[in-house]
Amino acid sequence: MKFGKRLLSAILVLAMSLTFVLTGCSSEESQGSAAASGSTAQSGTEKAGKKLNVAILLNGTLGDKAFFDSAANGAKMMESELGCTTKVIEMTADETKWLPALTDASENPDYDIIIVGTWQMAEKLAQIAAQYPDKKYIIFDSSVDYKDGKCKNVYSIEYKQNECSYLAGVAGALSTKTGKIGFVGGMENTVINDFLVGYIQGAKAANPNIKVLTSYVGNFTDTAHAKELTLAQINQGADVVFQAASNAGLGVIDGCTAKGKFVIGVDSDQALAFQSSDPAKANAVLTSALKRVDISITKAVKEAQAGTLKFGEAETLGLADNCVGLGTYNKGVSKDVQDKVTEFAEKIKSGSIKVDTAFGKSTSEIEAVKKSVRP
Amino acid sequence: MKNKQSYSSKTIENRFEIFRVIVAIGISLLVALLLIMFVSKQPLNALKWFLAGPILTMRNFGNVLELCIPLTFGGLSMAVMLQCSQFNMAAEGSFFLGGLGAAIIAVGVKMPSGIHAIVAILAGALFGVVLCIIPAILKVKWKANEVVSSLMLNYIALFFGSYILQYMLMDPDAGYIASHTFPNSARLAVIIPRTGVHMGIFIAIIMVILTYLFLYRTKWGYAIRITGQNENFAKYSGIGVGSTIILSQVVGGALAGMGGATQVLGMYTRFSWVSLPGYGFDGIIISILAKNNPKFVPLAAFFLAYLRVGADIMSRRSDVAPEVVSIIQAIIVVLIAGKMFLDTYKHKMIVKNSQRQVKEEA
Amino acid sequence: MNTVMATIFSASFLFSVIRLTTPILLAALAALITDRAGVMNIGLEGIMLCSALAGVVGSAAFHSAFLGLVFAMVTGVVLGLVMAYSALNLKADIILVGIAINLMASGGTIFILYSICGDKGNSTSLKSLTMPSVNIPLIQNIPVLGNIISGHNLLTYIAFLSVFLIWLLLYKTPLGLRIRVVGENPNAAESVGINVRKIQYTVLVISGILASIGGAYMSMGYMDKFSRDMVAGRGFIALAAEALGTGTPVGIMGSSLIFGAADALATNLQVLDIPVQFVQMIPYALTIVGLIVYSISRNKKEKKIGISK
């Protein structure tokens, strides 16, 4: 009987919350649709100058101190520099959730601009952008297909990550004492291999006899395995390891810190990222191959706010645009090395060095590149 | 009188089962509500989207239906295996390999529309069978523990699959590890515009019916259920226990493989799975919720899909992470699988009922 | 190839074998103690993951690595009790309870991590502490051997010490005797007045403690932070190690070392021309082969004794 009473009260609470919830939403919903009709009535030019409301949809999770964190940092920059309202949504790595999340954001009348990233989102964005022609979209780290005049409401940002990793290779090859440097990638995919191809090319340019050890974690999360791979590379003689492994890359940083070797960070300036929380790790960072997602998307939103952003076009940002490059150097990196890196950077900017890319290369062609520097 | 007595206590038991499921769901939801209240700055807003989000728009509801498809397959697969009391976790790997098998046919072979998709799904089923049958054979032949062997096989399936994907199926122009795009002839068409709900839902419904008929209307299904209830009794009744166990895993593996295939052909444009999809383990939750009966699997799948879609919507609209659902799931599984949960209450109900009957008789 | 051979026979390789063995060994011992009492604990993976997070959160909250470890162990005990209550009082199938714990852990840890740190990837924003590494006096000065067995994390030594402690518990104490009797024949145990439920509660709690140390090692020794899904199947591998270890603590130490070595080998073989995926398969394929070998030998033994099941 006692149990029955308790059950009854539990059911009552549930029922109450449910009715509350249902009534609560019906009013919200009508508000929403009213706002929706209002915003679609506005034309693009009228919007210019208005503080934009930006949604950033990430198909991964925050906390990697690299790629996705850089995008989230972009949101902060937009808020402080442009006065935007932002919302960062982690869609996680589960691909089936991406399309619903993107559609959901597109139907939300509050958002003026929706930002997504990576190659995996491009096809999905093209499909959605056609369904919501009044919405504006920005995609970073990939481009949608603009053929046949499609995607007039999408601006694409691509990065030449092979250029910054080329410089990372130069810095690594000039800093190693053993003549062996390492590369730990998250998964063997084209963007990660684009980093690798540039890295190897840069290392070879700085030292033709350089040896590069290559490992992949197999995912972007297993920090322990990433650390183990790093320790194995260090045991085999590597004293500088470049990581391109998102969350798992923290294991690489950890391994290098533990063994007193250098790590080259990726995407964000990882020396700065660890400076306050973990100085030991910050000191192990030789430099970072930057892919400034934050700067590039903030710049795009700024232009959108001014009404000058070229929707319907793709832009490829490289060294020349200051959107890729190297981060702060470790104290241990001599002036000579830094000057040498700058020298190579100038040559890339002027076009006298052409950096190779992994896009369009088959698995066996990539294997050949790896083999050329295998110890 | 004896007949009447036993009959009525059976109805009590059936009603009680339904009641038990409802209470279990209620308790788990209550825990979730408390958790949300605790972590969220705007708990009511979060709750609103969580509970009502999936039915607010057709598109959201479509998300629920499209998630139902793989969950139904996972649930059916585990229902057949659990009816035989086999804890074969390889359904997870079978789901993955099923997707891979379908992708190989979809990308590698040219066939007319319709037939292409069917052949691809059958290939997926075959891949699923090949994996799921291994733990069963090891168990029947050498009494090797199927839980351990199947968990290990999942990893082997994953690495094998990613090898095939990377070295044989990969599209070098794609920016990540993914196969070439599937031709339209192999894809399962979307049936509700502006949602992802695809033809797979019909295949799922057909498989629910077939699996039910298989388990409850054929002698093989009977053998599976008897073996699951009491292996020794099955032996005395002249049932070939070994072959029955293998049969249950073959059917379970085929269902999981088909599930992977329909999911890949319906929801994706390329094969790009680089980790296990999780629908096999979800299948266990669903099967438990459905009391291992295929009849109830779609209902259980719908419930779970509703929770998950609701949680996703909530996470996009508020500050609560959708992973709260996993806590709900765990509580439900334990409470429903717990035979003694609310047992004292059940006894009271039965006692009271018989007292009433005695009074009536008198 | 030569570099690989040189690596494998180096002290640092053997050091890494011990490092990789630690979490598997602790979890395998946790599997052993329940298995000997007739309970299969497949929730180890989940317990490890939860306690890995608990250790990090605890050490950050109490500013003490030791208290962090205690917090992790308390988490392990609580989860062990939850499993015991569900399986023994509510009579849910223990395998289902284990699966439920694992499902809860993989999502629940992310949920808690997000509520505390605001991100779903890892706990870098928490200032958590690690358990200290220990240099063993005298032994550390022995050439080669010193480099292999000295300088590990404190929890590694606790893991190997646990092998001895569990052996002591199982074979030299009255409790151990009861555990073994319960595992071999619960009905007989009941008839001689052993409280089977109490014994199974006890083993699940001990199992929770051992697994939680293994989890804490992941986030407070092996790594210095929690990251999502960081246990990455080690709890499952431990079940296989337990099956291979023929049900004795020493045997389990041996099988855990084999898995540690396979893992270390897989890591070092990545520089070869073999596709990564096949190298990654090694530990899992080895488990299945080992399981078959173990099962065959056990069946033969049972036939000899004349037990027919």
Side-chain angles (χ1 to χ4, degrees), chain A residues 150-191:
Chain A
K150 277 188 278 185
C151 297
K152 285 281 178 227
N153 51 342
V154 182
Y155 170 73
S156 306
I157 305 170
E158 289 180 287
Y159 305 98
K160 295 179 184 161
Q161 58 264 340
N162 52 344
E163 292 188 351
C164 62
S165 66
Y166 182 100
L167 298 182
V170 172
L174 293 176
S175 304
T176 174
K177 293 185 181 71
T178 56
K180 276 187 200 166
I181 57 176
F183 176 90
V184 176
M187 257 170 173
E188 190 157 9
N189 69 30
T190 318
V191 171

Side-chain angles (χ1 to χ4, degrees), chain B residues 307-349:
Chain B
L307 278 188
R308 294 206 175 157
V309 170
D312 279 340
I313 296 171
M314 169 178 73
S315 76
R316 295 199 294 262
R317 302 281 183 150
S318 76
D319 53 353
V320 182
E323 282 79 8
V324 69
V325 170
S326 68
I327 295 166
I328 303 181
Q329 291 169 352
I331 297 173
I332 292 179
V333 168
V334 167
L335 293 186
I336 295 182
K339 296 182 197 74
M340 300 299 284
F341 173 60
L342 296 183
D343 199 58
T344 44
Y345 192 70
K346 177 169 97 176
H347 277 292
K348 269 186 201 156
M349 266 168 75

Side-chain angles (χ1 to χ4, degrees), chain B residues 89-101:
Chain B
M89 316 280 165
E92 182 65 46
S94 288
F95 230 95
F96 176 83
L97 286 189
L100 178 78

Side-chain angles (χ1 to χ4, degrees), chain B residues 32 69 81 160 171 186 209 256 290 304 316 357:
Chain B
I69 300 169
M81 301 206 248
F160 173 76
D171 177 358
I209 297 167
L304 204 62
R316 295 199 294 262
Q357 268 179 350

Side-chain angles (χ1 to χ4, degrees), chain B residues 337-341, chain C residues 84-94 197:
Chain B
K339 296 182 197 74
M340 300 299 284
F341 173 60
Chain C
Y85 181 80
S86 311
L88 304 174
N89 292 49
L90 295 181
K91 301 275 178 221
D93 194 303
I94 186 75
R197 186 183 283 187

Side-chain angles (χ1 to χ4, degrees), chain A residues 123-310:
Chain A
E123 285 175 14
K124 294 186 166 52
L125 178 60
Q127 180 190 338
I128 294 295
Q131 287 176 22
Y132 300 90
D134 296 330
K135 279 274 172 192
K136 300 292 183 199
Y137 300 90
I138 296 171
I139 180 165
F140 60 88
D141 205 20
S142 186
S143 170
V144 290
D145 188 359
Y146 289 110
K147 267 181 276 166
D148 322 322
K150 277 188 278 185
C151 297
K152 285 281 178 227
N153 51 342
V154 182
Y155 170 73
S156 306
I157 305 170
E158 289 180 287
Y159 305 98
K160 295 179 184 161
Q161 58 264 340
N162 52 344
E163 292 188 351
C164 62
S165 66
Y166 182 100
L167 298 182
V170 172
L174 293 176
S175 304
T176 174
K177 293 185 181 71
T178 56
K180 276 187 200 166
I181 57 176
F183 176 90
V184 176
M187 257 170 173
E188 190 157 9
N189 69 30
T190 318
V191 171
I192 297 298
N193 277 336
D194 202 32
F195 273 112
L196 176 68
V197 167
Y199 182 63
I200 290 177
Q201 196 189 351
K204 279 208 278 196
N207 174 4
N209 295 321
I210 195 78
K211 300 291 171 214
V212 182
L213 302 166
T214 309
S215 311
Y216 298 92
V217 182
N219 56 57
F220 287 102
T221 53
D222 192 348
T223 44
H225 189 52
K227 180 175 179 179
E228 204 54 50
L229 290 169
T230 310
L231 294 177
Q233 291 194 347
I234 291 172
N235 282 338
Q236 287 165 26
D239 59 352
V240 176
V241 181
F242 179 33
Q243 69 98 351
S246 190
N247 273 309
L250 300 173
V252 181
I253 301 177
D254 203 27
C256 287
T257 312
K259 289 281 166 190
K261 306 292 180 200
F262 280 126
V263 60
I264 301 177
V266 75
D267 298 336
S268 295
D269 192 319
Q270 299 196 303
L272 293 180
F274 281 107
Q275 208 162 40
S276 59
S277 64
D278 201 337
K281 286 201 180 116
N283 285 336
V285 177
L286 184 80
T287 181
S288 303
L290 299 180
K291 196 154 140 184
R292 297 303 298 264
V293 176
D294 49 358
I295 293 184
S296 58
I297 57 175
T298 309
K299 183 174 148 261
V301 169
K302 190 179 177 185
E303 287 174 18
Q305 203 151 286
T308 57
L309 189 67
K310 292 178 207 139

Side-chain angles (χ1 to χ4, degrees), chain B residues 18 22 54 58 106-107 110 116 152 167 178 180 214 226 246 267 351 358:
Chain B
I18 299 169
I22 293 171
M58 187 56 213
V107 175
K110 277 208 178 71
H116 199 173
M152 296 300 117
Y167 286 84
H180 290 272
F214 170 76
I226 295 299
I246 292 180
M267 296 290 290
V351 168
V358 170

